[in-house]
Amino acid sequence: MRYARVLVALLSCCVVAVPALSQKVLAQNKAVKIGVLDDMSGPYAENTGPGDVLAAKFAIADFGGSVLGKPIELVSADFQSKVDIGVGIAKRWYDDEDVDMVIGIPNSAIALALVKVAGEKNRIVMPTAAATSELTGKGCGPNSLHWIYDTYGQTKTIVSALTKQGGDTWFFVTVDYAFGLAIEADATSFIKAAGGKVLGSVRHPLNASDFSAYLVQAQASKAKGLIFADGGNDIINGVKQAAEFGLARQGMRISAPLIQFPDVHGLGLKVAQGLLMASPFYWDMNPQARAFSDRFAKEMGRPPSFIQAGTYSAVTHYLKAVKAAGTDEAKAVLAEMRKLPINDFMTSNGHIRADGRVIRDMYLMQVKTPEESKGEWDLAKIIATVPGDEAFRPLSDGACPMAPKH
């Protein structure tokens, strides 16, 4: 009996001690902490990786280095293009290192997984580099914001332009994971809506080096258009080899909806000239963009990709919301992020929808010829502006559970 009373007393002490310990741990969280989870050395590193880290550092410095009397801290990690490693790092950051917000994530499979993790742990995830439109579709979540671009907006902008130029039959070369499949699915819907046909598609592994077998199949299809549904080094390798095969000379229109300016630079204007691009940002689009790009180039040796520019934008908006909320608690910060308009060097009067999609204008751009270019990074020209409400999928069509029911 005495043993039982002692046991009850001990258990009671333990029950009281747990919340006391939790309060102590929370009291020690004296920083606002941001984690950049990225590809630091793989196929997407040029457009994301170290440049995303630099952009986040710039945003923190420009905000003054602190908010609500707390220092703003930055951590970063390479997810090595592996879902289990990426998800494991983010969980450790949330659970053990008091990271408030994770940004970057140029891997759609990891990003979709982290939407669920962030919701479970009441932290924030902002996949600035992941592209799949499922992040604001069935894979959306209350603690996730899709900041810069997606497969829907990129492919709609380009496919719509190419179909007007007579592109009615298409072939896909697609990277074999969620990102590539989303590009192909979104592009296919636009092609069919315009009365076109998809004559075939092939899958390739991430970071492929030899595209010859895929290009032979594309050539044999007799399609008028070839879409590379991939990104980073895969775009560079695929488009270069398509040029070596002479596909453009044979009348096939080459398109890479997710191509970015570092990719164009890697290809060279002789190969890339005439390619259509969709982008929310160009380094020379206005004086403020040029100033940021010059600052970035002093550190990195080149202007930023639109993902890297968007990372600066996203971190800045997040910190503004923390200040406005008076706390770094996720739900309060997210509420302020949705209230505040987005105005910076790449976005004018942008806003965040209920599904987490940031709505901003997109630009249809064309890669210049070598004769048109006036410098190493004078790569493209804006040929049309696509308003955000037209560029991105309608809220009612995405099947996001958070979208208002009509």
Side-chain angles (χ1 to χ4, degrees):
M1 199 65 182
R2 181 182 174 190
Y3 174 80
R5 284 197 299 271
V6 171
L7 182 60
V8 169
L10 286 170
L11 289 172
S12 299
C13 290
C14 292
V15 170
V16 172
V18 171
L21 179 62
S22 299
Q23 290 168 7
K24 184 178 179 182
V25 170
L26 288 173
Q28 291 174 346
N29 183 9
K30 296 179 180 179
V32 172
K33 207 164 184 180
I34 297 168
V36 178
L37 183 61
D38 242 324
D39 180 356
M40 299 297 180
S41 57
Y44 301 135
E46 184 78 359
N47 292 321
T48 63
D52 276 351
V53 175
L54 179 62
K57 286 180 178 177
F58 283 164
I60 292 168
D62 290 351
F63 204 80
S66 65
V67 62
L68 306 179
K70 298 181 180 183
I72 304 164
E73 296 181 359
L74 185 70
V75 294
S76 62
D78 187 346
F79 58 48
Q80 302 172 42
S81 298
K82 296 179 180 177
V83 176
D84 57 339
I85 290 176
V87 173
I89 291 168
K91 284 183 174 179
R92 187 185 77 241
W93 280 351
Y94 287 148
D95 288 340
D96 302 332
E97 299 183 30
D98 293 320
V99 170
D100 298 289
M101 186 267 283
V102 174
I103 197 167
I105 323 166
N107 181 297
S108 293
I110 297 174
L112 288 165
L114 292 187
V115 171
K116 296 178 181 178
V117 173
E120 291 166 359
K121 298 181 182 300
N122 192 34
R123 300 297 173 95
I124 296 173
V125 64
M126 295 173 66
T128 46
T132 177
S133 58
E134 279 302 291
L135 285 163
T136 53
K138 293 179 182 178
C140 73
N143 289 52
S144 171
L145 301 178
H146 204 188
W147 194 260
I148 304 174
Y149 73 124
D150 63 25
T151 52
Y152 185 101
Q154 299 295 109
T155 55
K156 182 180 181 183
T157 299
I158 290 178
V159 172
S160 296
L162 290 176
T163 52
K164 290 175 183 176
Q165 297 175 12
D168 56 5
T169 56
W170 302 79
F171 191 93
F172 286 92
V173 175
T174 302
V175 64
D176 194 12
Y177 76 103
F179 161 62
L181 302 179
I183 299 173
E184 183 174 327
D186 285 331
T188 297
S189 68
F190 303 133
I191 290 167
K192 290 182 176 178
K197 294 181 180 179
V198 175
L199 301 185
S201 67
V202 289
R203 307 277 188 266
H204 71 80
L206 179 65
N207 216 16
S209 57
D210 185 1
F211 283 77
S212 57
Y214 314 125
L215 295 174
V216 166
Q217 292 181 61
Q219 197 172 31
S221 75
K222 306 296 184 184
K224 294 179 182 177
L226 170 61
I227 294 180
F228 284 96
D230 50 22
N233 290 346
D234 288 327
I235 285 179
I236 295 173
N237 291 333
V239 174
K240 273 186 177 178
Q241 290 173 44
E244 292 166 3
F245 269 70
L247 297 188
R249 292 195 302 273
Q250 297 164 27
M252 181 176 278
R253 191 67 186 266
I254 311 299
S255 173
L258 273 292
I259 195 169
Q260 296 192 54
F261 300 108
D263 304 326
V264 173
H265 185 265
L267 285 165
L269 294 184
K270 187 176 180 181
V271 171
Q273 61 184 305
L275 278 177
L276 292 179
M277 305 176 66
S279 180
F281 168 83
Y282 186 50
W283 69 269
D284 198 27
M285 65 192 289
N286 58 49
Q288 295 78 21
R290 284 194 296 274
F292 175 78
S293 298
D294 288 346
R295 178 185 180 191
F296 186 95
K298 284 180 182 178
E299 297 282 341
M300 294 296 293
R302 58 162 179 78
S305 68
F306 67 68
I307 290 175
Q308 291 156 348
T311 296
Y312 178 95
S313 169
V315 171
T316 299
H317 193 77
Y318 167 75
L319 294 173
K320 287 179 180 178
V322 171
K323 183 178 179 179
T327 177
D328 56 6
E329 190 276 326
K331 287 184 172 56
V333 174
L334 287 161
E336 290 297 330
M337 292 183 80
R338 288 184 163 91
K339 286 181 192 175
L340 294 170
I342 304 166
N343 286 295
D344 52 42
F345 59 74
M346 66 180 286
T347 308
S348 178
N349 293 319
H351 64 279
I352 301 170
R353 287 193 320 202
D355 58 356
R357 172 74 262 158
V358 170
I359 302 300
R360 58 157 55 81
D361 291 347
M362 295 289 291
Y363 302 99
L364 177 64
M365 306 186 72
Q366 188 169 41
V367 176
K368 290 183 174 182
T369 65
E371 295 72 28
E372 290 176 303
S373 175
K374 297 177 182 178
E376 182 183 2
W377 288 93
D378 183 24
L379 301 173
K381 54 192 175 186
I382 296 174
I383 58 178
T385 299
V386 184
D389 289 335
E390 295 178 18
F392 293 100
R393 180 176 57 209
L395 180 60
S396 57
D397 292 351
C400 172
M402 297 184 300
K405 302 295 187 290
H406 296 288

